[in-house]
Amino acid sequence: MIKLIRCIFSIILLVYITCSCSKEPVSIFTFEIDRKIYNADDLFVWCNLASVYKNEEIVFNKYRIGYKLSDDFSFVCLDSSLTNTRFETASIEVQYFKHVGDSIYEYELENGQVDLKILERKGELKGTFSFRLVNKSDSTEKLDIEDGFFHAQLSYSNIEL
């Protein structure tokens, strides 16, 4: 009986040690444009929550999400309620550049949606997004960014106005 209890205790201890070992932080950034999937699953995905203050009072939160190796695609969600997790077009800013040969085309947000979830204990942010973008120099050209998903370590900063 004692051997059985020791064996069970050893198994529980082994499972606990295995589960509590530190793992690499999760870092994923993926989306689809014209049925082509773009995927980054390394440490170059960034998420930042900047709390913006005026006269020592918080005015709004600014979530910035993107990929460190490219200035081509990033987006910002502005939250004046300080509790938002779902963002619609009016509170989203998108930066997207498309490279075609030697030309670079800049796109802006026509409409979109972002859903966020902060995993406070882990210090991570994850979410889903979809956007319809319009070429700034040719409003007839549009891009749909679909099935967007990200999950990364969340950094924090404060900005004083």
Side-chain angles (χ1 to χ4, degrees):
M1 184 68 166
I2 292 177
K3 286 184 179 183
L4 179 63
I5 292 172
R6 283 184 182 165
C7 181
I8 291 172
F9 178 75
S10 296
I11 291 171
I12 292 171
L13 184 62
L14 181 62
V15 168
Y16 174 76
I17 290 171
T18 304
C19 292
S20 64
C21 289
S22 63
K23 298 176 184 173
E24 287 295 317
V26 172
S27 191
I28 301 167
F29 190 71
T30 183
F31 56 95
E32 183 177 318
I33 298 176
D34 296 330
R35 296 186 174 135
K36 181 177 178 189
I37 296 173
Y38 297 83
N39 189 17
D41 57 357
D42 53 33
L43 298 178
F44 296 106
V45 178
W46 53 265
C47 297
N48 176 263
L49 168 56
S51 296
V52 180
Y53 289 84
K54 184 175 184 178
N55 300 326
E56 297 183 17
E57 283 192 37
I58 190 165
V59 180
F60 63 90
N61 284 326
K62 181 178 183 177
Y63 296 91
R64 295 178 59 228
I65 296 99
Y67 187 65
K68 288 180 189 175
L69 294 182
S70 171
D71 290 331
D72 293 342
F73 181 43
S74 64
F75 57 93
V76 173
C77 300
L78 303 171
D79 176 18
S80 59
S81 74
L82 308 178
T83 59
N84 241 0
T85 58
R86 169 165 263 184
F87 298 88
E88 301 293 333
T89 304
S91 57
I92 302 170
E93 299 170 0
V94 176
Q95 177 179 320
Y96 183 81
F97 296 95
K98 181 178 176 181
H99 299 265
V100 180
D102 291 336
S103 300
I104 299 174
Y105 299 98
E106 185 176 358
Y107 289 78
E108 61 188 358
L109 181 65
E110 181 175 274
N111 61 55
Q113 178 178 311
V114 177
D115 290 299
L116 299 179
K117 182 173 183 180
I118 297 176
L119 306 171
E120 288 188 42
R121 280 203 245 157
K122 294 181 175 184
E124 297 173 352
L125 181 67
K126 71 178 184 176
T128 59
F129 60 91
S130 61
F131 304 123
R132 170 161 275 191
L133 306 178
V134 154
N135 185 325
K136 280 187 165 183
S137 53
D138 178 4
S139 63
T140 63
E141 184 188 353
K142 301 183 187 231
L143 282 178
D144 289 322
I145 296 179
E146 301 172 314
D147 298 324
F149 176 78
F150 66 89
H151 186 173
Q153 288 297 122
L154 181 61
S155 66
Y156 297 90
S157 60
N158 294 326
I159 300 170
E160 183 67 40
L161 293 178

